[in-house]
Structure formats: structure tokens, C-alpha cells
Amino acid sequence: MIAGPLGLVALIAAAIAAGGGDDGSPLRHLYLLPALWAALARGVHGGALVGLLAGFLQAPLIFPLIERAGLSRPVVDGLVSLTIPLAMGLTVGRLVDQSRGRGVQLRALLEIQRSLAGETAFGARLAQVAALTRRALGVDRVGLLLDAGDGAPLTESAPCAPEPSDSPPSGSATPCRRLVLPLDAGQGPVGTLTIERNGDLGAATRSAAQALALHVALAVENARLTERQRRFAQELEDKVARATQRLREIDRAKSEFLSVVSHELRTPLTALQGFSELLLARDVPPDRARRYLHHVQTESQRLGRIVADLLDLSRIESGRGLSLRREPFDLRELVECNVEVFACQHALHRFDLSVAASLPPLCADRDAVDRMLKNLLSNAVKYSPRGGRVLVQARPAAERPGLVELAVEDDGVGIPAEALPRIFEPYVRIAHPETATAPGLGLGLNLVRALAHAHGGLVEVESLPGKGSRFRVLLPA
Ligand code: ADP
């Protein structure tokens, strides 16, 4: 690149020599051109070299003139044209070097911003930024210490050059200069930038380092913002996806629930319609009419239970809670009455009753206790489809003073241990081949538990698959 300007110098020198080597040749002004060319192409070094050469070539013409004529006008003129190429080469060369340095820094800054906003691990990005900074500033070592934000520990860039202590510059006794700058874009420091050079850190390098530190700090803050935004967007997306999924589940559960409820309501309704039509339309003998009326009564009771359960459920779900009307009543009488009704309706089962003589009068909502007992009894029957014994016990809870225990035990299909914790949840039904067709909404036990809790009591269950189950309601006396 410097060959062009040098060739032009030679050409001008040759032209001046051909013109008689006159010290006042106007061609000497042409020396400015190669000096300018070299300065533009190679910066201060090229400009100085060519300017110096142009000066040297003119010296043999000027210096004899000084000896001959002293400081005359042509001599001053000659001296000016001797020094101007050098002065211009130096000045323009320095300006070119400066603007090139700025260009390099600007490109480095863009790259730094790009690598900080990248997707790779933060440590890797820092190492890249350190390498770019080192190249842009032309120093030997660069270290970056950054706070990635959001409570993450400080991250240090991997050293992008060997530490001076590890490998001292061989043979040279050049002192090492180090400059540590805070990275602060106005929102408080986010880390430090350390640069080191074996030798002097010039004023230009220092101010360039300062500008770079500011830009790195800005880029870090931008990267943090971007990161936060990205995380926020991701979280939002996840939340929306989860909510959509939940809505779909709720929608499915609602449709399922509606179809089960309609089915549950239709069964007793069909029976009620059928028997009442029979009674109205035909002359039915009294004993058969009694049987039909008995069916009508059972089915309307079942209908009543379903509606009461649904009402309770809607109260629980709307957060209104269950309102109780507590009054002292005789639990023995309630239990006996229920067992009698169930025994009447389920000939396949044998009902045993055991009420302790020491049973204290219970102060509770009679209707609620009645519904709990009916739910447990109907489950005991439903989930022992081959029949069997159903034992109902009412007594003071042995190990818990102050509580009354109401237990219903069956020897039906039982419940697997892993399903036990779930059976009190609403809509949960445990599949079993023998009870697949048993009617139910999966709400009974949920209501039993809610009613027991409303009384300040609790429900417990023990069960063995194939052996049977025992449910215990414990209520404060
Ligand atoms: P439902 O009887 O309407 O299905 P429940 O809430 O009363 O609803 O019962 C929930 C589930 O718990 C039942 O589907 C059944 O699988 C199981 N379960 C309840 N009681 C018994 C029992 N006595 N024996 C065996 N399994 C039972």
C-alpha cells in the first residue's frame, strides 16, 4: 500500500531532476500528493515516512542555497515546501488513525451489544465481550466482573489473556499498567472493567476505555431488560397456557357432571312416573298398590337426597359454607330409624346395630347427621353388591374424650390404600368391576366430610380391598 506513494515520490523527484533540478521548481509542491495518499492509506506512520522522504529529497537543493544566500525569500520558500509534506503526513495520518480507532471501537461496541443480548450462557457472553474489548482497545488483558441482576452471583469473564503472574513477559522489564473502571450507566454500578497493558496506558486508551465502559454498562442494562422481558413473556405464555388448560378441564368436568346429574335424577324420576301412572291408570290390588307406593316413597327419598346433596355442594363451592341448626337430640333414635328403613329396602344385607348405653345426648344439626348417616349407609350397601353384614355403631369415642363416634362398617369390595386419600374429594369415584354400574356422583363422602368439619368433627376410614370398609364420623358431643 505504501509502494504507490513511494513510486509517486520517485516520479516527482525524477521529473524535477529532468527539469534541471531547480530548487524553485513548482513541481516540488506535488510532494504533498504522495504524503496525503500515504497518510490516508497508512495513517500517521505512512504519512510521516513519505513526508520525511519528500523532505530529504528536497534537502540537497535547499541546503546549498542556504549556504549561498542565507535566509533569503527563496530559502524560506524552499524550507516551507520541505517541511509541509511531513507536517501534512503527520496531521492527516493522526486524524485518519483516530477516526479508524473510533470506527473499530464503534464496531466493537455493536458486537459487544450483540453478544450481550445473545442466547448463550452469561459467562460465555462475558468472555466474548472481554475479547472484543481487548481487541478494540489494543491492550494485553481485559477482565470483566458483572452482576447479572436478579440476585444472581457476580460473574467474572474468563481471562482473555494469560495473567502476568502466570507468564511474565519474557526478558522485558516493561512495567504493567492496570486501569479499573466502574461499569455504571447511571442506575448504579453493575460491575467493573479492568484493562492491563505491559507498558504505558496512553490518554487516548484511557478515554476510549472510559467510553467503552459506559457502553458496556448500557449494553448490560439493555441485556438485563431484554432478559427480564423475555422471562416475563415466557411466564405470561405459561400462565395463559395453564389457565386455558384448566378452563378446558373445568369445561369437560362441567359437561360430565351435568350428564351424570341428569342420569342420577332421571332414574328415580322414571320410577316415580311409572308407578304413579300405574296406580292412576289401573285398578291395582291393595297389596300390590302398597308395594308400588313403597317404591314411590324410596325413589322420592333418593331424589330428595340428591337434591339436598347438590344444594349443599353449591353452598360449599360458592364459599357460603353450611349453616347448621344445632340442638340436642337422641342419636340412638336417629340411628335406629335409619337402620330400620335401610333394612326394609335391602333384603340382601343384614343390618346390625350397636348403640352404647353411655351414649351422651348429641348437640348437633339433626338433619345434617341424618344425611351423613344415610350417605354412609347407602355407600355400605352400594359397595357390597353381593350383600353381607352392615354394622352401625354409636358410642363415645374411646381414645378421644368429648367426641361421639358414629361408625358404619361393611364387608364389601373395599378401597385400595392408594385411593383412600382421594375418596373425600368431590367427583372422585374409584373404579371396581363389581360396582361399575353403581349410581353416584362422587359427592357423598365430600359432603359427609364437609358436614363433619362444620360441626368441628372429622371423618376417618379404614379399608381392605376384598374385605370391607369402616367409616367413622367423630362429632363433639
Ligand atoms: P359415590 O358413592 O356417589 O360414588 P362417594 O363420595 O360417596 O360417591 O364415594 C366416593 C367413592 O368412594 C365411591 O365411588 C367408591 O369408589 C368409594 N367408596 C365410598 N364408600 C365406600 C365403601 N363403603 N366401600 C367401598 N368403596 C367406597
Side-chain angles (χ1 to χ4, degrees):
M1 234 2 227
I2 197 83
L6 288 178
L8 189 56
V9 170
L11 216 64
I12 296 167
I16 292 174
D22 186 2
D23 56 68
S25 166
L27 287 177
R28 68 184 198 277
H29 296 305
L30 287 179
Y31 280 127
L32 283 176
L33 288 178
L36 189 64
W37 183 0
L40 287 174
R42 303 302 302 254
V44 72
H45 293 121
L49 178 71
V50 174
L52 215 57
L53 185 66
F56 271 130
L57 289 174
Q58 291 179 70
L61 304 178
I62 306 299
F63 289 133
L65 195 65
I66 297 174
E67 273 172 29
R68 260 187 283 129
L71 261 184
S72 61
R73 250 191 86 181
V75 168
V76 173
D77 194 31
L79 280 175
V80 169
S81 54
L82 180 145
T83 48
I84 273 192
L86 177 62
M88 197 175 70
L90 279 172
T91 317
V92 173
R94 185 164 298 141
L95 286 175
V96 166
D97 281 351
Q98 267 176 13
S99 80
R100 274 212 190 112
R102 293 247 162 83
V104 167
Q105 277 173 24
L106 215 66
R107 269 197 300 281
L109 270 177
L110 284 177
E111 279 191 62
I112 285 170
Q113 263 162 5
R114 207 173 301 143
S115 37
L116 270 176
E119 303 265 327
T120 50
F122 194 60
R125 279 185 271 162
L126 269 198
Q128 213 174 346
V129 171
L132 287 167
T133 312
R134 192 172 77 88
R135 220 180 314 144
L137 294 177
V139 293
D140 292 311
R141 281 164 294 276
V142 167
L144 273 167
L145 191 66
L146 267 188
D147 175 5
D150 296 330
L154 288 181
T155 316
E156 196 173 4
S157 68
C160 67
E163 283 292 318
S165 53
D166 295 345
S167 57
S170 50
S172 84
T174 336
C176 168
R177 298 282 150 92
R178 172 184 288 184
L179 179 67
V180 181
L181 293 163
L183 297 175
D184 190 346
Q187 316 259 36
V190 293
T192 58
L193 166 72
T194 308
I195 57 172
E196 280 181 14
R197 180 186 273 161
N198 300 329
D200 226 8
L201 275 173
T205 312
R206 284 164 190 269
S207 72
Q210 249 151 12
L212 250 160
L214 178 65
H215 280 97
V216 170
L218 279 172
V220 167
E221 238 144 56
N222 274 346
R224 276 191 193 176
L225 270 178
T226 317
E227 181 61 32
R228 218 169 288 158
Q229 241 169 1
R230 199 182 299 156
R231 215 174 322 128
F232 184 65
Q234 186 61 48
E235 270 168 25
L236 212 66
E237 211 174 285
D238 290 351
K239 266 190 200 152
V240 169
R242 272 202 302 273
T244 316
Q245 173 69 15
R246 180 95 192 95
L247 278 179
R248 260 192 223 122
E249 275 166 20
I250 290 174
D251 200 45
R252 195 156 16 90
K254 193 194 74 188
S255 320
E256 223 165 84
F257 177 69
L258 280 179
S259 89
V260 175
V261 167
S262 347
H263 174 82
E264 284 294 295
L265 291 176
R266 201 162 35 194
T267 320
L269 263 181
T270 315
L272 286 178
Q273 275 169 355
F275 287 121
S276 53
E277 269 168 30
L278 271 180
L279 286 170
L280 279 175
R282 297 208 195 142
D283 245 351
V284 185
D287 59 330
R288 196 181 289 178
R290 249 192 89 72
R291 250 206 350 265
Y292 287 177
L293 280 172
H294 180 70
H295 288 317
V296 167
Q297 189 195 25
T298 319
E299 292 305 318
S300 55
Q301 277 171 353
R302 183 164 155 204
L303 206 57
R305 269 209 305 279
I306 295 175
V307 172
D309 282 1
L310 287 174
L311 282 176
D312 278 348
L313 183 87
S314 89
R315 289 189 71 89
I316 294 170
E317 293 213 327
S318 66
R320 277 175 293 158
L322 299 162
S323 59
L324 300 176
R325 257 187 307 124
R326 285 175 204 255
E327 56 192 359
F329 69 93
D330 185 3
L331 183 58
R332 171 193 293 270
E333 185 261 333
L334 180 83
V335 174
E336 279 173 355
C337 181
N338 269 292
V339 168
E340 209 174 290
V341 172
F342 269 80
C344 243
Q345 292 166 347
H346 304 280
L348 220 53
H349 295 80
R350 196 183 89 226
F351 287 81
D352 284 340
L353 179 60
S354 147
V355 181
S358 56
L359 188 69
L362 192 61
C363 183
D365 185 319
R366 190 180 193 281
D367 186 46
V369 178
D370 183 55
R371 295 227 306 283
M372 285 194 261
L373 184 57
K374 284 198 165 76
N375 262 306
L376 293 181
L377 280 170
S378 90
N379 277 354
V381 172
K382 249 196 308 190
Y383 300 110
S384 52
R386 296 191 216 166
R389 185 176 96 124
V390 176
L391 171 67
V392 185
Q393 286 177 311
R395 56 187 181 189
E399 70 285 27
R400 292 183 174 102
L403 292 186
V404 166
E405 170 186 319
L406 178 60
V408 178
E409 190 179 310
D410 63 66
D411 40 33
V413 295
I415 304 161
E418 68 275 9
L420 278 180
R422 286 191 295 127
I423 55 170
F424 293 100
E425 302 297 320
Y427 313 117
V428 171
R429 307 198 71 205
I430 313 301
H432 191 283
E434 280 187 53
T435 60
T437 54
L441 295 170
L443 295 176
L445 288 180
N446 181 243
L447 274 172
V448 171
R449 184 178 64 173
L451 288 169
H453 285 179
H455 279 92
L458 66 153
V459 192
E460 288 177 352
V461 57
E462 289 161 30
S463 188
L464 272 181
K467 289 263 182 278
S469 316
R470 179 183 167 83
F471 285 85
R472 296 202 307 159
V473 178
L474 295 157
L475 298 175

